[in-house]
Amino acid sequence: MNQRLEIRNIPNEHFMDSLQMSAFAFQDELTPEKVEKRKKLFDSNQVWGAYVDDTLAAKMTILDLQTYIQGKAFDMGGISGVVTWPEYRRGGLVAKLLSHGLRVMREKGQTVSFLHPFQFSFYRKYGWETYTEYKSYEISVQKIPKLGPQPGRVVRIGHDVKLLNGIYEAYASRYNGTVIRNEAWWKNRIFSFTEGTVAVYYDAQNQPAGYVHYQVKDNILKVHELIYLHHGACLALWRFLADHDSMLDKLVMKAPANDKLPFLLDNPRIKQEIVPYFMARIVDVTGFLTKYPFASGAKGSLQLKVKDEQAEWNNGWFLLQVDESGTARVTPVASASPELPTASCTIQTLAAMLTGYQRPSFLMDIGRLAGTTEVCESLERLVPARQTCMLDFF
């Protein structure tokens, strides 16, 4: 017997159906407080359901977000809450939701998409690829850096979004793949789900140059975010954290993967771990490359063949012409011209390269990027090197 499948937005009246599905999948207990928090975040226009014979069988949320890439804001579709009831699993519903989602994001101009995978190999099948990782620290109280007095002052504050976001944006724009936050994101995602104290550092010129968001509980200091705009701010905030030593057994925190804290410690033998975190996907190759800020002064032309089994508009040849300013002109072409250098890769590899997670030379060494040495050297010049980072979760 054939079942009727329809993918459509989940209406407000089906909110509890959607929430109960998520609670079951993520083994989450629904307290009245949690229900109210989730209701505040529920936006029917962003939540898509796969209905089988009018029964909600699977769902997915596409958050309307922005991200920094090479210092520029890109519209980004944040995939979250992908769940299916057990009786409908392995029936291809998630694949259909993701395929539908790619079209929705493309129509909205969201040329890139991020998600936090339950399994990396699963989402690679649909075009996403790892783009960032973080460094996890666990530091015993004896090894927390002991610093002398620092210039400036640290002030504990409330939830001053305007102040914090100004510091955050200056920091986040230095990385590829950070979320651009608005007031609603701070209130509903940061402060609503993360308890603790916020302290801001003002430097010797009385300029806000960093902040730390942290919580002390059960003799553990958990740093939610440590943001600083220069090394002096870093030292001052670490001095502030160290002054909690009488309350602590240890400090735990996450930092960008290129963080150099151990080098600054008297005893760098602390517990640290590199953890793969989020995945990225290029939704629209033409739109993404056209907006992408390539390196200025490194002009070049090449032909790029992209393999994308899920989005036919990305599957094929593209003529990429980058001028002196780093601005690209991108033209889909039927076939390659013998007059220009060529390169080929999958949509996953393209995301890893252009987010800055992996360099073109490495991708060519491992067989993920095909082409001549000449085209590899051209891509090395054209793609700016910048660290990836994701400080949020969705």
Side-chain angles (χ1 to χ4, degrees):
M1 179 178 177
N2 292 329
Q3 293 179 310
R4 181 168 55 87
L5 171 65
E6 184 182 5
I7 295 178
R8 61 177 188 263
N9 288 115
I10 298 177
N12 290 327
E13 53 265 31
H14 291 178
F15 163 72
M16 282 306 301
D17 294 339
S18 170
L19 185 59
Q20 286 168 355
M21 184 190 298
S22 293
F24 180 85
F26 300 120
Q27 301 175 45
D28 189 18
E29 182 181 354
L30 288 179
T31 64
E33 182 185 21
K34 285 183 179 179
V35 171
E36 284 305 309
K37 283 185 178 180
R38 301 301 196 279
K39 185 179 291 186
K40 184 185 298 185
L41 297 175
F42 187 82
D43 183 346
S44 178
N45 295 319
Q46 296 183 356
V47 187
W48 294 89
Y51 286 82
V52 177
D53 293 336
D54 287 325
T55 299
L56 181 60
K59 67 158 192 165
M60 173 185 72
T61 299
I62 307 176
L63 299 169
D64 296 332
L65 300 173
Q66 287 188 309
T67 182
Y68 285 114
I69 296 178
Q70 306 297 358
K72 193 171 184 178
F74 280 70
D75 290 335
M76 180 263 287
I79 303 293
S80 70
V82 182
V83 294
T84 309
W85 283 118
E87 60 268 31
Y88 293 103
R89 289 175 186 166
R90 295 174 178 84
L93 293 182
V94 169
K96 291 180 172 62
L97 280 169
L98 291 172
S99 178
H100 179 81
L102 287 172
R103 286 172 166 76
V104 169
M105 289 185 284
R106 187 186 184 213
E107 289 172 3
K108 288 184 174 183
Q110 296 168 337
T111 59
V112 64
S113 172
F114 294 166
L115 60 78
H116 180 263
F118 78 95
Q119 187 180 79
F120 286 83
S121 60
F122 178 85
Y123 284 102
R124 281 193 177 112
K125 294 185 297 184
Y126 302 106
W128 277 262
E129 182 54 273
T130 312
Y131 91 87
T132 194
E133 54 208 8
Y134 63 82
K135 190 177 286 188
S136 174
Y137 292 131
E138 182 177 308
I139 310 172
S140 66
V141 68
Q142 295 82 8
K143 294 182 181 179
I144 295 175
K146 303 298 189 293
L147 303 169
Q150 301 296 313
R153 58 197 172 94
V154 176
V155 182
R156 285 183 294 111
I157 67 166
H159 296 168
D160 188 335
V161 170
K162 184 177 180 180
L163 172 61
L164 295 173
N165 198 54
I167 304 169
Y168 170 82
E169 283 195 355
Y171 179 87
S173 60
R174 300 174 180 176
Y175 293 92
N176 285 346
T178 47
V179 170
I180 297 176
R181 297 174 181 173
N182 57 23
E183 185 175 4
W185 189 267
W186 277 98
K187 290 181 177 179
N188 298 329
R189 295 279 180 169
I190 306 299
F191 297 132
S192 181
F193 287 93
T194 310
E195 297 180 356
T197 301
V198 181
V200 171
Y201 168 68
Y202 292 84
D203 62 21
Q205 289 71 46
N206 203 34
Q207 295 299 309
Y211 69 82
V212 60
H213 184 196
Y214 70 102
Q215 181 182 25
V216 180
K217 187 176 181 179
D218 299 328
N219 301 114
I220 298 172
L221 193 159
K222 182 176 183 180
V223 177
H224 302 308
E225 282 190 351
L226 178 62
I227 304 296
Y228 49 87
L229 303 186
H230 52 68
H231 185 59
C234 174
L235 294 177
L237 289 169
W238 271 109
R239 164 66 188 248
F240 173 76
L241 292 173
D243 284 340
H244 293 71
D245 56 353
S246 63
M247 308 165 63
L248 308 178
D249 293 328
K250 63 182 178 181
L251 178 151
V252 297
M253 66 175 292
K254 298 175 183 177
N258 66 340
D259 186 75
K260 303 299 183 185
L261 174 66
F263 184 73
L264 304 176
L265 300 179
D266 291 337
N267 184 351
R269 287 178 174 166
I270 60 173
K271 183 177 180 181
Q272 53 183 305
E273 180 183 8
I274 297 292
V275 182
Y277 193 33
F278 261 68
M279 303 182 82
R281 192 199 205 284
I282 295 174
V283 174
D284 182 358
V285 169
T286 300
F288 185 84
L289 289 175
T290 300
K291 188 169 185 178
Y292 190 86
F294 288 92
S296 59
K299 67 178 183 177
S301 297
L302 59 93
Q303 298 164 114
L304 179 64
K305 186 177 184 180
V306 179
K307 182 180 180 182
D308 189 341
E309 297 178 348
Q310 308 298 327
E312 69 276 3
W313 56 86
N314 292 332
N315 197 52
W317 284 98
F318 298 87
L319 173 60
L320 176 65
Q321 299 168 294
V322 182
D323 65 21
E324 285 277 356
S325 70
T327 302
R329 186 170 66 181
V330 185
T331 309
V333 293
S335 59
S337 165
E339 299 176 1
L340 289 174
T342 62
S344 63
C345 64
T346 64
I347 194 71
Q348 295 93 330
T349 298
L350 191 63
M353 178 170 62
L354 294 182
T355 58
Y357 183 60
Q358 301 295 350
R359 296 302 298 169
S361 55
F362 171 72
L363 293 168
M364 187 164 283
D365 283 345
I366 64 172
R368 291 279 298 267
L369 177 66
T372 63
T373 301
E374 175 191 3
V375 79
C376 182
E377 290 174 349
S378 178
L379 286 169
E380 282 285 343
R381 290 192 300 270
L382 290 171
V383 179
R386 189 177 292 224
Q387 178 67 36
T388 62
C389 178
M390 169 60 90
L391 300 171
D392 290 281
F393 177 83
F394 51 80

